[in-house]
Amino acid sequence: MVAPSQYILPNDLPVALLDCSEAFLLLSAEEKLYTHYLSRASFYGGLIVLFQTSPESPAIYILLNRLFRSQEPGELKDVAVGQGLNEDEYQAFLVYATGFFANMGNYKSFGDTKFVPNVPREKLEKLVRASNAFAKDPEGMDSLWRMVSDRMYSLEPSERQLGLGDQGISTYFSGNCTLEDAELAQRFLDSKSISAYNTRLFKTVDESGKNLYEVRLASVNREEMAAPPSDMSKILGSFEYEGHQMRVTRGDYSPLLRRVSENLENAKAYASNDNQRQMLHEYGQSFREGLIKAHKEGSKYWVQDKGPIVESYIGFIESYRDPFGSRGEFEGFVAVVNKSVSARFAQLVSVAEKLVSSLPWPACYEKDAFLRPDFTSLDVVTFSGSGIPAGINIPNYDDIRQTVGFKNVSLGNVLSVGSATEREKLTFLREEDKDLFIKFRSPSFEVQVGLHELLGHGSGKLFVQDEKGAFNFDKETVINPETGELVKSWYKTGETWDSKFSTIASSYEECRAECVGLYLCINEEVLQIFGHEAQEAQDVMYVNWLNMVRAGLMGLEYYTPETGRWRQAHMQARFVILHVLLEAGQNFVTISQKMGADGRPDAQVTLDREKILSVGHPAIQRFLLRLQVYKSTAEVERAREMYDGYSAVTDADPYRFLTLRDIVILRKEERKSFVQINTRLTGDSVDILQYESSPSGLILSVLQRFPDDEEELEREMLELSQFWVQQGSR
């Protein structure tokens, strides 16, 4: 049976090289060594993502590695043809392996949808059994195939997407966990002031039918107890909570984090200043002991490391793929500063306070002082995780962002290749918009990313009451603009943005940041900073707004009607913005259905550029105020009611979003997969290995990441995988 198109990758999957060779060659010898060891740490840590994606992902990774390590793609093709695979089927297998390695698992990083091989299962099995890898180790390869083949091809409803309980697959929780279990665990963690970022939750049931919960921390150290004065002594152990037995352990991903820590220690010898050395020390401490507190300390040093030539960050960072929105996926990146583009971002930082003051909420809803961050354009050398973004605003720890600061980075070589589009593949736009869109999409996206990261994620205040009862705002005078009354709610001790807003936190915050970008991109000074004036500035602004509403329409691909869930935070956010602008009326934004030139259903989105200032901007102003007020005051119920309302996808007139979703899926274009370089240490010098922009090139780049310990690494990964299976994955 052929899998539905949304669960397979096309044979013409776009693949692009992240070229950083020029930037890397300009580094000093010590900077190259620093980059090398940080890259090693990031790639080793990136393997954790396999365990955070699906039960079968680690073993699929090992199966693919062994196949291609024994025979490179060209040689393996001859074996495939000999076993009856045709050209398209072998290409489909290469594309599957490419997608798997690029996403670090068999679920898309952008959309959380499963993808399966577009090759008949019996043919792929013949290829596996005829390979050199099988000839060398028939027992091991047979075991791997039996371990993964069913799950690799399965499209059971609960396995088609990531989710919690019967909504999908999640390895952040054992398969028997429900939303109620996740909520209980979060309350327990909040009561103990334990961050969920580096945890997983496993539930077992004893003979009497009582639930037992294990919160497992990621760490090298596997000891289940710690002696005072260690911070872990108050965290580890068994606790009674709301009538349930809660046990906090550590040692998750231990062998992988050991390699991460070792390479961070090696990098420390080539750090350029004390901030970097202290940062790496604290990161290592965090990974060894399981302490998020140490990672937060390292993040403070990172924020204070202003203007480094080599920039990096590593840890359990983004919570997009946790169905509950609290646990962080492992991520590590290393990049080199692009000085000319960074100069533009520095100019934006210099006027940031003025721009923040123009945002539509009262001054008391803004931080007491805007903490000027670093904002740099970087060329990525290494990015490990499930996907590579165009921009980042970190750290995600609210208390650090509010008091110490944050950093913004724009990933220049990702932006330049990621936004390139061929005219004939450009969907849902009028013909008269297409050339302008292609010309200004990349420049407008650079403006949007800059505003989104710096002034979107970087703005706004959370109203907090600390453990001593003190408030960071004047609750006797601060008015809620939505009610006209004094503020009645705030964040209490132990509560954070992620823990309080949980399942909507990520998308809601991305929506707020996207709205800030739209709101401020009409500013002439902003456009001048990015080199756009007169008519060009107007075109950049128009394309930015047009790109947003088109993205909102395309976001329907990431909605699952069967579960009523959105699978991607950014695309849900863009759909919400589209909905807000459609609601603004006056034909500012319109969506129409039509028949395409190919005889298949099509759609078209239009935006009246003459009404951006008179209709669009006021609509975003009103919506953005509500977003910020609910966030500042921790008004979860009102925020959820509003956000869920705008996120609703029905087939009711006038928009018929479900019908539009079918059209979007029919005409969807696959996202690019990125080929990354490898660094190699030869004596005291570091060289780079580059690869072609093709599925074979991407596969080879992954194969050559771990030349020194690949067999030991695979053995330890299989042990970790078995450990997960024993803990109750379904």
Side-chain angles (χ1 to χ4, degrees):
M1 183 181 295
V2 177
S5 63
Q6 65 261 44
Y7 302 112
I8 58 175
L9 301 176
N11 273 11
D12 60 350
L13 180 78
V15 179
L17 174 68
L18 281 185
D19 188 11
C20 63
S21 54
E22 184 177 341
F24 185 84
L25 291 173
L26 293 174
L27 297 177
S28 69
E30 288 210 331
E31 289 165 347
K32 288 178 181 177
L33 286 161
Y34 184 65
T35 300
H36 169 73
Y37 285 116
L38 289 176
S39 292
R40 307 308 305 143
S42 296
F43 277 143
Y44 278 122
L47 296 172
I48 290 172
V49 177
L50 295 164
F51 296 88
Q52 295 179 308
T53 300
S54 68
E56 65 272 17
S57 283
I60 295 175
Y61 174 90
I62 294 169
L63 177 75
L64 294 174
N65 259 273
R66 289 185 181 178
L67 278 173
F68 289 113
R69 198 162 66 230
S70 296
Q71 293 164 287
E72 290 191 357
E75 187 181 349
L76 194 61
K77 181 179 181 180
D78 296 334
V79 179
V81 172
Q83 295 303 310
L85 277 75
N86 60 37
E87 290 264 349
D88 285 344
E89 288 169 336
Y90 183 67
Q91 178 66 16
F93 174 57
L94 288 185
V95 162
Y96 176 79
T98 299
F100 183 91
F101 288 141
N103 290 279
M104 269 293 128
N106 58 338
Y107 288 76
K108 294 179 183 178
S109 65
F110 204 85
D112 296 341
T113 307
K114 188 173 187 178
F115 56 94
V116 300
N118 193 22
V119 184
R121 175 173 167 168
E122 62 276 10
K123 286 191 175 184
L124 184 53
E125 182 174 0
K126 283 183 178 181
L127 172 58
V128 169
R129 294 186 180 280
S131 67
N132 282 356
F134 197 94
K136 290 177 183 176
D137 181 16
E139 185 178 340
M141 289 294 287
D142 179 68
S143 175
L144 281 170
W145 176 255
R146 284 187 287 106
M147 194 184 303
V148 305
S149 54
D150 287 345
R151 293 292 289 262
M152 182 188 283
Y153 278 90
S154 173
L155 284 173
E156 290 294 318
S158 64
E159 295 178 27
R160 293 173 186 170
Q161 63 281 318
L162 299 181
L164 185 57
D166 58 5
Q167 300 290 302
I169 290 295
S170 175
T171 47
Y172 289 106
F173 302 87
S174 56
N176 57 355
C177 281
T178 64
L179 178 61
E180 290 73 24
D181 295 318
E183 290 171 340
L184 169 68
Q186 189 62 59
R187 292 195 300 273
F188 166 72
L189 292 171
D190 287 347
S191 75
K192 302 285 290 181
S193 294
I194 301 173
S195 170
Y197 271 118
N198 66 338
T199 70
R200 293 198 284 179
L201 179 68
F202 300 98
K203 180 174 75 171
T204 54
V205 183
D206 68 13
E207 294 177 355
S208 68
K210 185 177 181 180
N211 291 335
L212 306 173
Y213 296 92
E214 178 193 357
V215 174
R216 190 181 309 151
L217 307 177
S219 69
V220 179
N221 195 331
R222 289 176 167 169
E223 294 176 9
E224 295 198 8
M225 298 300 291
S230 168
D231 289 318
M232 295 303 294
S233 65
K234 300 175 184 177
I235 293 175
L236 298 174
S238 294
F239 308 88
E240 191 79 19
Y241 183 77
E242 294 186 7
H244 298 281
Q245 193 68 27
M246 315 294 291
R247 182 164 162 255
V248 182
T249 66
R250 62 179 170 178
D252 215 1
Y253 322 120
S254 176
L256 300 177
L257 287 172
R258 175 175 57 80
R259 290 172 169 84
V260 173
S261 296
E262 289 170 353
N263 279 282
L264 292 179
E265 190 64 31
N266 289 335
K268 201 188 299 183
Y270 304 101
S272 62
N273 57 56
D274 284 338
N275 275 326
Q276 290 180 357
R277 282 183 281 274
Q278 291 290 340
M279 168 189 83
L280 295 174
H281 169 77
E282 295 289 352
Y283 290 166
Q285 178 79 354
S286 171
F287 298 143
R288 285 190 298 274
E289 299 300 320
L291 271 172
I292 287 294
K293 180 181 178 182
H295 194 269
K296 292 174 74 171
E297 289 302 310
S299 297
K300 291 177 185 177
Y301 287 113
W302 179 72
V303 170
Q304 294 166 45
D305 182 28
K306 303 290 187 183
I309 299 299
V310 178
E311 185 62 279
S312 68
Y313 197 62
I314 190 168
F316 296 88
I317 311 301
E318 301 292 355
S319 57
Y320 300 128
R321 300 183 93 191
D322 169 17
F324 192 67
S326 295
R327 289 152 188 83
E329 183 175 84
F330 195 93
E331 180 180 291
F333 78 85
V334 192
V336 181
V337 170
N338 180 318
K339 292 182 179 178
S340 60
V341 179
S342 296
R344 291 205 290 270
F345 291 131
Q347 279 185 272
L348 190 63
V349 172
S350 72
V351 298
E353 282 116 318
K354 182 168 70 173
L355 293 171
V356 164
S357 69
S358 72
L359 291 171
W361 46 82
C364 55
Y365 282 75
E366 193 49 66
K367 298 183 186 74
D368 298 334
F370 183 79
L371 303 168
R372 288 195 174 195
D374 252 13
F375 196 171
T376 49
S377 177
L378 308 174
D379 285 342
V380 171
V381 177
T382 297
F383 205 111
S384 75
S386 62
I388 307 178
I392 316 172
N393 176 286
I394 38 182
N396 287 331
Y397 305 120
D398 291 324
D399 51 346
I400 294 177
R401 297 168 63 82
Q402 299 274 327
T403 59
V404 180
F406 53 91
K407 283 186 182 181
N408 298 276
V409 297
S410 173
L411 303 178
N413 53 349
V414 177
L415 270 171
S416 62
V417 299
S419 59
T421 306
E422 299 173 30
R423 194 181 196 282
E424 58 271 19
K425 291 186 177 181
L426 194 55
T427 53
F428 310 130
L429 293 180
R430 298 179 302 178
E431 285 300 315
E432 56 265 39
D433 279 332
K434 287 184 177 180
D435 289 334
L436 196 70
F437 188 88
I438 289 170
K439 182 177 181 180
F440 291 112
R441 184 185 187 186
S442 185
S444 70
F445 194 48
E446 184 182 48
V447 173
Q448 179 69 12
V449 168
L451 295 171
H452 172 116
E453 300 297 347
L454 174 65
L455 300 163
H457 293 313
S459 65
K461 180 176 183 174
L462 302 184
F463 295 162
V464 177
Q465 182 182 20
D466 66 21
E467 64 277 2
K468 297 178 181 177
F471 293 86
N472 70 341
F473 69 104
D474 187 348
K475 73 185 190 75
E476 303 302 325
T477 62
V478 174
I479 299 294
N480 182 326
E482 286 291 294
T483 64
E485 300 173 351
L486 291 173
V487 167
K488 296 178 180 178
S489 58
W490 46 82
Y491 297 83
K492 298 177 176 63
T493 301
E495 293 179 341
T496 66
W497 161 249
D498 280 332
S499 71
K500 192 76 174 169
F501 281 68
S502 65
T503 54
I504 67 167
S506 292
S507 183
Y508 189 101
E509 174 60 12
E510 293 305 330
C511 187
R512 195 182 69 88
E514 291 283 47
C515 285
V516 169
L518 287 181
Y519 186 79
L520 292 176
C521 79
I522 70 166
N523 185 293
E524 289 184 7
E525 186 175 8
V526 167
L527 293 166
Q528 286 172 359
I529 285 171
F530 285 91
H532 310 301
E533 298 186 34
Q535 185 58 45
E536 181 179 296
Q538 296 303 305
D539 289 340
V540 166
M541 178 182 70
Y542 171 59
V543 169
N544 192 40
W545 281 71
L546 181 62
N547 190 33
M548 185 63 70
V549 295
R550 176 177 179 262
L553 173 62
M554 294 170 70
L556 286 165
E557 176 191 344
Y558 301 93
Y559 175 77
T560 305
E562 294 80 5
T563 62
R565 286 182 60 248
W566 284 88
R567 307 186 312 275
Q568 214 293 319
H570 297 80
M571 298 310 280
Q572 179 183 358
R574 291 160 187 161
F575 174 80
V576 165
I577 292 170
L578 169 65
H579 207 161
V580 168
L581 294 177
L582 284 167
E583 187 184 76
Q586 300 184 51
N587 287 323
F588 173 54
V589 174
T590 61
I591 301 176
S592 57
Q593 296 182 35
K594 63 177 188 175
M595 195 61 66
D598 57 3
R600 300 187 302 168
D602 204 347
Q604 183 174 281
V605 61
T606 63
L607 182 142
D608 188 340
R609 64 185 297 165
E610 301 303 322
K611 296 178 181 176
I612 290 176
L613 297 184
S614 61
V615 180
H617 197 256
I620 292 297
Q621 180 180 31
R622 291 189 296 271
F623 182 55
L624 188 49
L625 174 61
R626 295 174 73 190
L627 287 170
Q628 182 58 49
V629 168
Y630 296 155
K631 180 181 179 182
S632 290
T633 58
E635 289 192 70
V636 181
E637 290 76 16
R638 295 187 71 183
R640 191 178 293 277
E641 180 183 7
M642 176 190 73
Y643 202 70
D644 287 350
Y646 282 119
S647 299
V649 178
T650 72
D651 222 21
D653 288 329
Y655 308 123
R656 304 196 63 199
F657 288 131
L658 283 173
T659 300
L660 286 169
R661 178 183 178 272
D662 292 338
I663 296 171
V664 168
I665 289 174
L666 178 69
R667 297 187 175 276
K668 73 185 179 78
E669 181 182 356
E670 206 63 46
R671 291 171 65 84
K672 286 186 175 71
S673 295
F674 294 112
V675 182
Q676 300 186 54
I677 68 158
N678 283 308
T679 57
R680 261 313 161 267
L681 189 60
T682 307
D684 293 329
S685 64
V686 180
D687 301 313
I688 58 173
L689 304 178
Q690 295 203 80
Y691 307 89
E692 64 180 31
S693 296
S694 69
S696 293
L698 193 151
I699 291 167
L700 287 174
S701 73
V702 175
L703 290 178
Q704 295 178 7
R705 280 182 187 170
F706 310 109
D708 302 325
D709 59 351
E710 55 197 15
E711 291 186 4
E712 180 189 5
L713 192 58
E714 288 179 3
R715 178 180 57 77
E716 292 175 339
M717 288 173 65
L718 280 175
E719 289 176 3
L720 283 177
S721 186
Q722 288 298 316
F723 189 66
W724 158 251
V725 171
Q726 293 164 9
Q727 294 300 308
S729 72
R730 57 170 184 256

